Structures are given as structure tokens and as C-alpha cells.
Amino acid sequence: MQKTSDGYFYSPSDLIAFLDNQAVTWLDRLALERPGLLTRDEAEEAQELVRQSGDKHERRFLETLRATGAVVEIDRGDRDALRKTQAAMLAGQEVIYQARLAHGEFSGWADFLFRVDGPSDLGSYHYEVWDTKLARGMKPYFAIQLCCYAEMLAPLQGLRPPNAGIILGSGRRQPLRLDDFWYYYQAVKRAFLGQQRGFDPDQTPPFPGMADYRHWSGHVTQLLEARDDVSFTANITTPQIQKLNAAGIVTLRGLAESRRATVPRMARPTLERLRRQARLQRKAEPGQPPPYELLDPESPTHGFGQLPPASPLDVCFDMEGYPLADRGLEYLFGATHSERGQLQFRDWWAHDPQKERAAFEGFIDWVYARWRRDPSMHIYHYAAYEPAAVKRLMCRYATREHEVDELLRHHVFVDLYRIVRQALLVGEPAYSLKNVEHLYLPARGTEVATAGDSIVYYHRWLISPDGGTWRESPTLRMIRDYNQADCDSTWGLVEWLRARQSECGQAYVAPPPPAEVNEQLTARAALAREMLAGLDLAPSLPPERRRVTELLAHLIEFHRRELKSRYWAMFERAAMTEQELIEDADCLAGLQRTKRPPVPDKQSFIYEYEFPEQETKLRAGDRVLLAADTRTRLVIETFDADARKLTLRRGKKHGALPDYLSLLPDEIVDPKTMVQSIERTVRAFHAGAALPPALEDFLYRRPPRCQGLPDSLEAAQSLDSSALCIQGPPGCGKTVTGGRLIAALIQQGKRVAVASNSHHAIALLMKSALDAAVELGLEVSAVKCGEDGSHQLPAGVAVVDNSGLFDYDPLPQLAGGTAWVFSREEAAGGFDYLFIDEAGQVSVANLVAMAPAAANLVLLGDQMQ
């Protein structure tokens, strides 16, 4: 936001700030209207590191572009930057870096403009906007920013580009279809300009607690503290604050003294817990241990029921990570344990990926050996970071999988944060380890006081090392001392909690023993280990053969590794209390059967339930699991958010559903068919058989075997048991080319299978293929089975929601074809095009073998083979 003699001018970043918190842009404007009134926060060093890492990511991507083609760079200090950007566009430059754009009240610098095919005022081409982001996943505000850049770009080429994209921190390029976000962007822009044009410095907006106030955080925190804002209640959420405010409860004192029995749209147990928390915080006295209260457990397995008895081989574990490295770096594994009654500390360091793997293996080998010596031993940690990092490293390096699996399956990791949240309330404004340790430890004196501090100190060491190890480097020594203090504090918390456990008399409830590992899983893991071990015994193996062998050895376990994260999330939720599930918007808790009797429907019964007020993302058609028995899979038949009622379907042969239950999202899809196919291929390869020629060409990265130097269509038509790979930057025409290839091949009587891990990609390729088919004069009828959503399917495409996954009914009669019946074993019908996503579970092999005339084009989703 800038103030000039011509008025106020804004950037796409102002829209993002407004979207995130409207009070931020109000304060930005106030600071320009009344200079000196507000004090802007100084940028924290950790925030500056993030900014520098973002710049580094942008420069790396720029260098890759420079290595492959011409890039024109616009100087941000050049007052003539806008004209030079337009000149570069008129000249048809392939890539324009730091393009200056301006239109109306907005201006800004686009990271990259890519030239793509498509007519505009410039000629037979136009430009798309692409932005680099350090984030590893898409965020909603990226689309708003790109829409703003695209609107500023439009006058320069007479065309608003239909597409734009993001280059994520992982290096993945994520294209976006701007029409999907355009109307929302326009609404955000209108609201923002409305705020600015109607700005009144004397009409102070509300400052909701829990919001991010960016560079005005210090100023707003002072205001919130002065008014004793209810947002200072520990563990409160933004929706809860909004509901309390709507009920007239706006201060911490007001919440503590409130005698309301209910608050609209808030569960009664939630209100009572927040009220008790506020009362404890009001009782707290500076310099004294905080007051606390023990909670009645929801069940014997919650709270202190999860705290095991002591073992002489117990370990308290804490990690330090550096998120600004590529893919992140876990650079310190710390563990406190007892030796002859004295606390000892062990550490494993890593300053690059190779050492990270070695440190991970060293730590896992150490704790696994201790557990094997004493199966009653446990690894204690505070909050979810440590086990999540262990799982991530196991999957990243495909190492110590058996050991980590055994530790997880036998519940060796114990989360003390969960026990604290379920077992007691503490009169502290937060439940971090630094807060909770006030119950049993004096204040710390270490220079590194927070995880953010450790990141800053470690970054300083990377830039200017003051020694190679912690023994030589004062900086690394401070980080080590901080990590050891955390591990020792965790040890103290375990002892303090055991004393409280003894006081209340709640015994530990050991979890049931894990199921035996499937023999097939064991056999696949053994095959992978055998193949990798064989590489060590064959040093003369050609490098490409070695690479492909290692790739296939890892691939045989790929799906099991990928499914683990979903199973882990499911087990985490299954261990939650009902109150925790109510606060998890992905779940739905506290459902009570209504008096309406079960309604028979074919081979099932439909059960009606009502549920307490809570936020939930679950809706009709969603697949769910029972929290008390995750083996029970159900589908929500109907969902009425206003009446707070839903119905569930269950087969008669499975017995009645319980009267009271909670639901978890069912995110598990069995990839059995794909896994078996991969195993057959890898076993044959390991036994000496040749790979299928097309697969071999693909894995060995060989050029396609085809005659002459044809274009892509001729190449596809003349392939001789080979593979053709098409690669290119965003907007180069891969989807259009793929659609034309598909249509031409179908015209010749070929059948085409397409695999994708995205509904949106399926829809785009579907549209491209159908458009190309129309150009060729092909008359087709098409159906897409599974989710429809907002995937912009072409007009005239029938969509069937077949999300039941296992209990398929015959699909309704569709214009242009016969009724369809889908199962995991068969498919039949008479359409020209069949589109199936992950709701389907129909394999290519089954379609080709059992329905040779069913479909010419088969598009498969991410769970397909």
C-alpha cells in the first residue's frame, strides 16, 4: 500500500492481507493517514530467514530457466520497468522475470511471465503469470494473488490469460485455472476497495483474538491485553471465540464468571471446559506454580490411562529441525535416559541429508535395541512433532521400516501432551512444554529459549560456522543445551504426571497387542531387502542397472509406505476423547440414535442419529469409520446440518449399529490390485526375466522406438512396444497434445488407459480428448463415475456419483448407452468413453480382459492400476 500525490495504490499483497485479516489493511491505511501514530513491529530474525529462503527458492528456479532458454529480467529499480515489460512481451520473449504490471489502482511485480500458445493482441501467443512460493502445498490466497496479476496483465496483451501457476517449495509446478477463482477474487477486491474508499480513521474495527496481525502484532496484543480479551484462554479456537462473543462473553473474566448453561452452537462440555480453564488462569499468581485441576476421564483408556509404569530403559526424546533447508532437515536428535540413577543425554547430529539418514538410523537402532531388551520401555515426547518426523524420515529414506513399524504398532511412543490435555487443566495461557513445566521446574536460564530461537541460531551457524561440532562450536553447544533442557524437562513431566496418576488412582490400560504382520507384507519387505543387499554384493553392476534395481526394490513397498500416514492419522483420531473429536472438524462426535426405528432398504438398514453442535466437514456421501471400531466402514446417507441429524447405512448381515457413536473420516483405499501387479513384475525381474519392453524403456529412460523423427501423434501411432514421454513447462500444450493423441488413437480403434492422481487433471484431459474427438467428427457418449464436484466437465457428459466403494448398485439408464454395473471384478456397458476416478476400484486389466467392447477410452484416478 502506497500513498502518492495521485492517491493510494495497492498491490496483490494488500488483497492477501485483507483476506487474512481486514484489520491489518485498516491499520496499514491508518499508519499512512496519521504518520507516527502506530509503531510497526521490527521484523523478527526468523521471519527474515523465511523471506531469504523464499528469495533463494526464486533464484534457484530462475537459474533452471536460464539453463534451458532465454530469460529477460526487468530491473525493479528502473522507473521505466512497465514499458520495458511491455516491450519484452511484444518481442515474444519466452520468459520475463520480475515483470512490472499495473492497472487501475493496483500495481506489482510478477515473478515470471511464461509465453504460451494462443492468440492475443501480441500475435499467436500470450503470457501466463507464475509465482514462486516457499510453501510445499497450495494455499487459497495464492489464487487471489495470481488473479490480480492476471487482471493487470490483460491490458498489455488484450487477453486475460485463462491459466496461471505456482512453483512450490518442493519444486512441483501447480497450474491453476483462473476462471475457477475469478468471481471470488472479484468479491474480495470489491470488499477491499470498499474498505479503503470508505476509510474513517476514527471508526476502529474489531480486533478479534487469535488472528494474525502481521507487522502490527505488538500494537494489537497490547490492546487485547488491556481489555482482558477472551482469546487469552488457553486452547481456545477462533470459532469458539466467535460463538462466545456472539453470546456477549468477550473477556477472560467474563468467561470465568459466566453462569450461562449454554452458548448457541457450542457443545456444553466445551463451554464448561473453557470456563474452568479461564477460572484457573484468573487464579494464577506471578512467580508461583500455576494452579491445576484433574479431569474425570471419559474412559479408562484416556488421560492417565495412557501413562505406562516406569521402566529402567525409558527414554525422553526431542528433536531440532531446520525447515528452511530443501525438504527440511532434522539436524539434532536428543534423548535423556537414566544410567545408575543419574540422567544422561545422548545426541545425534546431521548437517546434510546423508548425515540426517545416518543420525536417524543411529537413533532408531539405539531405542529399538533398548525396547528389545525390555518391552515395557517407552519413548516419551511432548506433542506430535517427534513421531511425525520419525515417520517422515522412514518414508523418505526407505530405511528402518521394520523397526519403526514395530515401535509404532506396540505403542512405544507416548505423547505426554495428549495425556496432559486429557487428564488435567493448568492455569497457564498455553499448554506448551515451557508453560506446563512451571508446575515442576524453575524458570529456564538457557540463551536459546524457543524452537524459533534454535532455528535462528542454527542458521547463523550454517552461514558462519564457529566450529564443526558442539564441542568446538559455542553456537551448537547452546542449541544442544536447549535440546537437553527440553529432554530433561520431559523426564520431569513424566515423574510429575506419575505422581498425579497415583493420587487419582487411575491405572495404565495397556493397548491390545497388535495383529500379526501379513505374510505377504513380510515377503514383499524381504524381497526388497534381498534386492538392496544384492546390490552391495555386485559392485561391478552397470550404473543404470543398479539404479533401476534400487528403484524397483523401493517401489515394491511404495504403497505400504504411502498408506501408513493415513493409518497413523486414523489411529491418532481413534485415541482421542469425544471432546477432542468434537473440536476436530474432520470428524463428528457424540451421535445419539433417535427414536425413529431403522428403515430397511434392500440388504441394509438406515439408522438415524442426532449430534451436538459442532463444526464438521462431513456431509452426505462421505465414507466414515466408527471411532470405537475402525474396522466398521459406513457411508453417510443423508446429512441435515440445521436439524443436526444424519442417517447411516449398514448391511443387515453386519448387525445393528450402537446407539451412541462418533465418526472418523474413512481415508483408506486398498491398493491391493496395484501392489500385486507391481510385486509380480519385480519378482520376475529379480528372477532374471526381462521387463516388458515399454516399461523397460520407461525405467531406463530410453528414447522411444519409432520410425524416423515423427511428431507426437505419429510417434504414438508407430511405437514398437516402447514408451513416449512428453514433458514441458506450464502452458506448453501437454494436455492439448494428449487429448489429440487420445482422439486419434480411438479413431483408429485403439483403446487408451490414462492414470492420474487428480480429479481436476482427469477432467481437463477428458475435455481436451472430447474436443479433439469433435474436430475429427467422432460421435461419442461419455460418462464419468465417481466424484463430480466442480471439475468443469464438458457439457453433455453424464456423471454418476458411485462413491459407495464396495456396495455398487446398477447405475441408472443413461442417454446413449446401457445401464452400468461396477464391481472390483467386472465392468460392462456400451459407452465410447468411460471415466473412473478413485471411487471406482476397477483395474485396467479387468476392463480390458472382461469388457473388451465396453470402452475405447478409460481414464483412471489415483487409486487405479
Side-chain angles (χ1 to χ4, degrees), residues 497-808:
L497 288 173
R498 284 210 179 98
R500 306 291 81 73
Q501 182 185 43
S502 178
E503 289 174 6
C504 72
Q506 185 183 357
Y508 171 62
V509 179
E516 293 297 322
V517 177
N518 182 287
E519 290 185 6
Q520 285 185 315
L521 295 180
T522 304
R524 284 194 286 269
L527 174 60
R529 289 195 296 270
E530 182 181 337
M531 293 175 68
L532 293 172
L535 293 176
D536 295 333
L537 302 176
S540 62
L541 198 68
E544 273 296 276
R545 174 79 177 191
R546 177 179 295 273
R547 182 187 64 79
V548 170
T549 302
E550 183 177 9
L551 175 63
L552 291 173
H554 290 314
L555 187 61
I556 198 172
E557 289 277 82
F558 169 80
H559 289 93
R560 187 166 74 93
R561 286 193 297 271
E562 289 297 299
L563 273 179
K564 283 177 182 176
S565 61
R566 301 193 179 207
Y567 276 109
W568 291 329
M570 180 186 72
F571 293 138
E572 284 287 314
R573 286 182 170 130
M576 290 180 177
T577 64
E578 180 181 301
Q579 184 58 38
E580 289 170 328
L581 291 175
I582 285 176
E583 295 172 5
D584 185 340
D586 290 317
C587 305
L588 190 63
L591 282 76
Q592 178 71 54
R593 272 274 305 277
T594 67
K595 295 181 180 180
R596 178 185 176 189
V599 177
D601 183 57
K602 299 178 183 177
Q603 298 303 311
S604 302
F605 279 116
I606 307 297
Y607 299 83
E608 185 180 70
Y609 288 83
E610 55 188 0
F611 52 88
E613 191 70 53
Q614 60 193 286
E615 303 288 337
T616 182
K617 297 177 183 176
L618 294 178
R619 291 296 183 267
D622 287 346
R623 295 181 290 117
V624 291
L625 307 170
L626 289 186
D629 179 10
T630 55
R631 296 168 298 179
T632 300
R633 310 178 76 177
L634 305 165
V635 175
I636 298 176
E637 288 287 303
T638 63
F639 186 94
D640 188 335
D642 294 330
R644 297 204 302 274
K645 290 183 179 180
L646 60 75
T647 58
L648 298 170
R649 173 188 292 271
R650 194 181 200 195
K652 295 177 182 178
K653 63 182 180 181
H654 298 302
L657 286 174
D659 291 341
Y660 195 83
L661 53 83
S662 294
L663 300 175
L664 313 179
D666 181 3
E667 300 172 327
I668 309 298
V669 178
D670 185 4
K672 179 180 178 181
T673 304
M674 291 182 286
V675 171
Q676 291 174 341
S677 177
I678 292 170
E679 182 181 2
R680 287 193 301 271
T681 302
V682 175
R683 285 194 180 279
F685 172 82
H686 185 54
L691 291 168
L695 178 60
E696 182 174 288
D697 285 355
F698 177 76
L699 292 177
Y700 280 90
R701 300 179 290 196
R702 294 168 180 161
R705 279 172 287 151
C706 50
Q707 299 176 353
L709 295 173
D711 62 23
S712 57
L713 176 57
E714 293 170 337
Q717 293 171 329
S718 62
L719 283 177
D720 180 14
S721 300
S722 187
L724 171 67
C725 296
I726 301 176
Q727 184 182 10
C732 70
K734 297 187 296 295
T735 302
V736 173
T737 300
R740 290 174 179 169
L741 279 172
I742 290 169
L745 291 170
I746 289 173
Q747 188 180 39
Q748 297 175 9
K750 300 282 196 301
R751 283 174 292 170
V752 181
V754 180
S756 172
N757 59 2
S758 163
H759 287 296
H760 186 61
I762 289 175
L764 287 177
L765 187 56
M766 180 180 183
K767 183 178 186 307
S768 178
L770 293 179
D771 289 345
V774 171
E775 292 179 7
L776 294 174
L778 296 177
E779 293 185 6
V780 299
S781 58
V783 59
K784 180 179 186 294
C785 299
E787 290 188 16
D788 52 346
S790 57
H791 301 297
Q792 303 297 324
L793 293 173
V797 175
V799 178
V800 178
D801 183 5
N802 195 26
S803 58
L805 195 62
F806 293 114
D807 297 319
Y808 292 120

Side-chain angles (χ1 to χ4, degrees), residues 165-177:
I166 296 292
I167 300 97
L168 295 166
S170 62
R172 181 167 63 91
R173 301 184 186 188
Q174 178 66 56
L176 297 176
R177 184 176 181 270

